[in-house]
């Protein structure tokens, strides 16, 4: 439908997203119009295309999918337009003075003849020029949005393109639509559809370059591969682009010449093509590791005396490997401390910290996620930060701490190091001076990071740094079946899970439907009733897969209605098929460095990160703003930001890394066989602090224990370190 009228009032506008609610006078009476309608002012003539919808709170509205507008022409409408505040510094009195002077030509004079506008009483030339610039900007934005609409681009996407590229947005897209791949919310396929509508040639160089880079970036960010073997890259790009292999081969070489990609002819038993930033990140890490690999110095002092003092102060007795770790932390520039649950990593870490304090060695504690940092603080009694906060994250994904402005500590200790991806670790080593000790604590048997690379494992397997592995389960930990079974699993043996007197339970289920009902009952009723757990904070369902009836998507849809039913008072908002409701448990699925949040201390900061879990506190009645409470911060999401949020009653095992809950429920039944691995099972089990309940097929559980296939990633860090050595 097409609706034509004059804008009577602006009810609401989000300047970040362009989402606007208008009251429009039409021949059929006043209508409420909603949509991405930026820089529209009162008094403007507007033509919108869309359809009527019924909002649960506000009733009948016209949802605009596209729009055209023209500036007001009569003096009454011009007065309404200018006095609405759309032009900064112009309100009712100034608007009236302009109209008295220039009549129907007022807007044309303000935009194109500031010298003439400056003749009006009380108006300086400088002020008139600023008004002219604002008028031109508004006109330019509308022209850009309407021009982009001609390429089949929605107002929402068009406004995002304008925010990315500014006043040159239309020309950039017209000349090369694949520049749209620079915007995170786009991607190659979307840009390719727009290019097709523009009759862009399928073998154009811009298209081929964008396609090859898309394959590399997709595999980097979605599958964790830091490079692709050249033949695999060519095959994938050919399937995507539908051109010859020779054309792609030529494009790869051209991209190398332009420093868009890097080519390593020998990585292990293959070759590699990198997106250049990933190549540079591996180079930076390998340079640092190889540089300090041969550095070793004598322990500064009497170690036996120091360790006895630490044991007496902490009230513990260290095992030999734990002593080795405490000693090595002062003898090497990089040290790895690894081990499974119950092997004393925390005790050893506290020994290292005590020794540092006794010797006046300054240090910082950090972890990849807010949850992991909070847990590190609880276990050590010392303040721990996220790595992003430690490096003083700033705008556009940059860090204030870098090569030129390094961290001023003698040592930096990172917990949950297996979670740290390639780019974050690269930033970390750049921000630590060459004399700063770097101590990496983690479990090498965990899954690789959600992000690119497998840095922790590659550094260990390179043999270039000091590695202390803790493998003795201490007596108090042996009382936990979670701990003992985790070690059974990683050693390829079936866990003991038929004894219901312990903290490790198995509940058989015959069908996916039965499994889903049992999981739901455990989450909403049985575990809360038996142990007093809060489902929203103490219990987490962790799934091997998103798909199938036993995956996160299906379980989230079911649990949402059971754990947080609509009672008539909860606001909701629908985004891309998912209905979010006040009270829902949600998770951030991508690092968003730009979003501003309010911390528990009242200060504003930026950044919410992949894997952060929170609860929706409030949804604005119009659905435009959604406020989520995370562990230590409150974040308000607007419109398109919800693209990075999903329900989190059930999450994947990969997303659970670095977090722990009192109770974990693990469904194991149907799904893609290669996903059900020993490492994945081990990672899921070790997320539970007090109780784990596995629900499903005992045969599937056995297959998981037997499946020692690791999450294979193409990563070149190990080989790059060895090459530099």
């Amino acid at each position: 439908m097409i609706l034509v009228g004059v804008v009577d009032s602006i009810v609401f506008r989000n300047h970040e997203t362009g989402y606007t609610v208008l009251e429009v006078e039409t021949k059929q009476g006043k209508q409420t119009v909603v949509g991405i309608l930026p820089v529209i002012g009162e008094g403007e003539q507007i033509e919108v295309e869309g359809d009527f919808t019924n909002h649960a709170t506000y009733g009948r509205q016209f949802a605009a999918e596209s729009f055209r507008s023209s500036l007001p022409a009569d003096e009454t409408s011009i007065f309404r337009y200018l006095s609405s505040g759309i032009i900064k510094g112009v309100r009712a009195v100034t608007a009236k003075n302009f109209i008295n002077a220039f009549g129907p030509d007022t807007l044309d004079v303000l935009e194109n003849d500031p010298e003439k506008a400056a003749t009006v009483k009380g108006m300086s030339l400088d002020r008139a020029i600023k008004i002219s610039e604002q008028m031109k900007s508004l006109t330019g934005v509308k022209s850009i949005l309407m021009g982009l609409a001609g390429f089949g681009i929605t107002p929402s996407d068009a406004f995002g393109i304008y925010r990315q590229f500014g006043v040159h947005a239309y020309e950039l897209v017209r000349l090369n639509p694949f520049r749209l791949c620079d915007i995170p919310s786009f991607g190659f396929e979307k840009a390719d559809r727009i290019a097709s509508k523009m009759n862009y040639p399928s073998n154009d160089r811009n298209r081929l370059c964008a396609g090859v880079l898309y394959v590399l970036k997709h595999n980097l960010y979605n599958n964790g591969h830091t490079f692709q073997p050249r033949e695999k890259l060519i095959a994938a790009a050919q399937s995507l682009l539908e051109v010859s292999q020779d054309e792609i081969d030529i494009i790869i070489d051209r991209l190398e010449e332009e420093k868009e990609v890097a080519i390593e002819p020998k990585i292990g038993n293959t070759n590699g093509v990198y997106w250049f930033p990933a190549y540079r990140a591996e180079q930076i890490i390998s340079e640092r590791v190889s540089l300090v690999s041969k550095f070793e110095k004598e322990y500064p002092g009497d170690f036996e005396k120091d360790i006895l003092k630490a044991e007496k102060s902490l009230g513990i007795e260290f095992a030999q490997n734990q002593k080795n770790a405490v000693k090595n932390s002062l003898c090497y520039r990089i040290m790895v401390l690894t081990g499974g649950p119950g092997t004393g990593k925390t005790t050893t870490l506290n020994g290292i910290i005590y020794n540092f304090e006794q010797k006046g060695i300054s240090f910082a504690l950090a972890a990849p996620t807010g949850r992991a940092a909070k847990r590190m603080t609880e276990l050590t009694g010392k303040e721990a930060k996220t790595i992003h906060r430690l490096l003083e994250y700033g705008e556009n994904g940059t860090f204030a701490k870098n090569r030129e402005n390094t961290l001023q500590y003698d040592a930096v200790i990172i917990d949950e190091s297996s979670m740290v991806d390639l780019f974050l670790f690269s930033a970390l080593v750049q921000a630590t001076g060459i004399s700063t000790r770097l101590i990496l604590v983690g479990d090498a048997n965990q899954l690789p990071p959600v992000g690119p690379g497998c840095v922790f494992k590659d550094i260990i397997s390179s043999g270039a740094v000091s590695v202390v592995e803790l493998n003795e389960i201490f007596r108090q930990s042996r009382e936990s079946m979670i701990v003992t079974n985790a070690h059974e699993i990683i050693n390829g043996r079936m866990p003991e899970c038929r004894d219901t007197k312990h903290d490790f339970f198995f509940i058989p289920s015959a069908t996916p439907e039965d499994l889903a009902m049992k999981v739901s009952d455990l989450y909403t009723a049985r575990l809360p009733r038996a142990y007093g757990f809060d489902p929203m904070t103490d219990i987490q369902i962790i799934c091997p897969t998103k798909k199938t009836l036993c995956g996160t998507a299906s379980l989230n849809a079911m649990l949402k209605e059971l754990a947080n039913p609509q009672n008539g008072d909860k606001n909701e908002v629908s985004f891309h098929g998912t209905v979010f409701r006040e009270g829902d448990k949600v998770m951030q699925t991508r690092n968003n460095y730009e979003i501003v949040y309010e911390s528990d201390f009242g200060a504003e900061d930026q950044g919410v990160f992949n894997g952060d879990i929170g609860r929706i506190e409030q949804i604005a009645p119009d659905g435009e703003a959604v406020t989520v409470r995370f562990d230590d911060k409150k974040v308000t999401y607007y419109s398109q930001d919800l693209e990075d949020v999903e329900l989190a009653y059930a999450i994947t095992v990969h997303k659970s890394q670095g977090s722990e809950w009192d109770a974990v429920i693990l469904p194991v039944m149907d799904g893609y066989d290669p996903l059900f691995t020993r490492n994945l099972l081990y990672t899921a089990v070790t997320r539970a602090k007090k109780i784990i309940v596995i629900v499903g097929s005992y045969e599937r559980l056995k297959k998981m224990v037997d499946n020692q296939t690791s999450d294979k990633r193409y990563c070149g860090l190990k080989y790059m370190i060895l090459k530099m050595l």
Side-chain angles (χ1 to χ4, degrees), residues 426-696:
S426 171
L428 177 66
V429 298
Q430 289 179 80
T432 51
I434 196 67
S435 61
T436 302
R437 297 171 180 86
L438 192 56
I439 297 166
L440 308 176
V441 183
D443 186 346
N445 290 314
Q446 297 283 354
L447 291 169
V450 174
C454 40
V455 176
F456 190 61
K457 286 184 179 177
D458 276 357
I459 288 175
I460 292 172
S461 61
S462 74
V465 304
S466 168
V467 177
V468 177
E469 182 178 2
L470 305 178
N471 45 31
E472 176 187 347
I473 306 175
F474 289 92
R475 180 181 54 78
Q476 61 269 34
S477 296
R478 286 199 294 269
E479 296 172 6
S480 166
M481 292 301 294
I482 293 173
V483 171
T484 55
N485 277 336
H487 287 272
E488 291 294 291
I489 289 165
I490 208 62
N491 288 308
R493 295 186 290 268
M494 277 295 285
E496 172 53 58
C497 54
R498 297 183 186 273
D499 185 348
T500 58
K501 295 178 182 178
H502 290 286
D503 52 8
F504 196 109
F505 300 92
F506 176 80
I507 297 176
S509 188
T511 65
E513 292 80 6
D514 177 60
L515 180 147
M517 292 305 297
K518 285 177 176 174
V519 166
S520 300
D521 187 43
L522 282 163
Y523 184 82
T524 59
R526 289 180 63 181
L527 290 175
R529 188 168 57 238
Y531 301 96
F533 293 148
D534 180 348
M536 292 295 184
T537 56
D538 304 330
I539 308 172
Q540 187 60 55
I541 300 165
I542 301 177
C543 304
T545 179
K546 289 184 176 183
K547 300 175 181 178
T548 78
L549 282 172
C550 308
T552 59
S554 178
L555 289 174
N556 273 322
M558 177 185 292
L559 286 159
K560 171 190 178 66
E561 301 306 328
L562 294 171
N564 185 36
Q566 177 59 272
N567 60 8
D569 296 329
K570 298 175 183 177
N571 288 333
E572 296 180 342
V573 61
S574 179
F575 187 82
H576 288 186
T578 298
V579 176
F580 295 102
R581 180 180 297 152
E582 287 175 340
D584 272 340
K585 188 175 184 178
V586 294
M587 178 174 63
Q588 175 76 14
T589 61
R590 183 180 68 87
N591 288 345
N592 185 332
Y593 300 103
E594 307 300 327
I595 201 164
V596 175
Y597 69 79
E598 181 184 329
S599 74
D600 286 344
F601 308 105
E604 281 196 351
D605 209 331
Q606 284 178 280
V608 59
F609 305 108
N610 193 350
D612 285 353
I613 293 178
R615 190 172 184 179
I616 296 177
E617 279 192 349
Q618 186 178 23
I619 298 175
D622 58 15
E624 180 59 16
V626 177
T627 302
V628 177
R629 153 64 61 184
F630 292 99
D631 281 342
D632 57 350
K633 57 196 172 193
K634 192 188 298 185
V635 178
T636 298
Y637 292 87
Y638 295 102
S639 187
Q640 294 300 114
D641 292 333
L642 288 175
E643 190 167 34
D644 302 326
V645 177
E646 62 184 33
L647 294 173
Y649 299 99
I651 64 175
T652 63
V653 178
H654 278 87
K655 295 287 188 182
S656 75
Q657 293 178 84
S659 298
E660 285 187 334
W661 293 270
D662 286 339
V664 166
I665 304 168
L666 174 66
V668 292
M669 184 171 282
D670 57 345
Y672 182 53
D673 286 347
L675 288 175
F676 289 76
T677 65
R678 183 186 299 174
N679 280 91
L680 185 136
L681 177 61
Y682 172 82
T683 301
V685 167
T686 54
R687 299 309 90 206
K689 290 192 287 186
K690 296 180 180 178
I691 290 170
I692 183 163
V693 185
I694 301 176
V695 186

Side-chain angles (χ1 to χ4, degrees), residues 387-437:
I387 299 173
H388 285 85
R389 187 172 297 283
L390 177 69
L391 301 184
E392 297 178 16
Y393 160 78
E395 293 181 3
N396 303 318
T398 60
F399 296 100
K401 295 299 181 182
N402 50 43
R403 285 185 192 275
E404 288 73 40
N405 180 30
T406 57
L407 292 163
Q408 298 303 300
Y409 296 102
D410 299 321
V412 174
I413 304 171
I414 305 296
D415 198 14
E416 296 288 356
S417 295
S418 64
M419 291 181 64
V420 184
D421 68 33
L422 177 70
F423 293 115
L424 187 55
F425 199 88
S426 171
L428 177 66
V429 298
Q430 289 179 80
T432 51
I434 196 67
S435 61
T436 302
R437 297 171 180 86

Side-chain angles (χ1 to χ4, degrees), residues 303-304 318-325 468 470 472:
F303 178 69
E304 293 303 325
F318 291 113
Q320 186 57 50
N321 268 1
Q322 293 178 309
K323 291 179 181 180
N324 293 342
V468 177
L470 305 178
E472 176 187 347

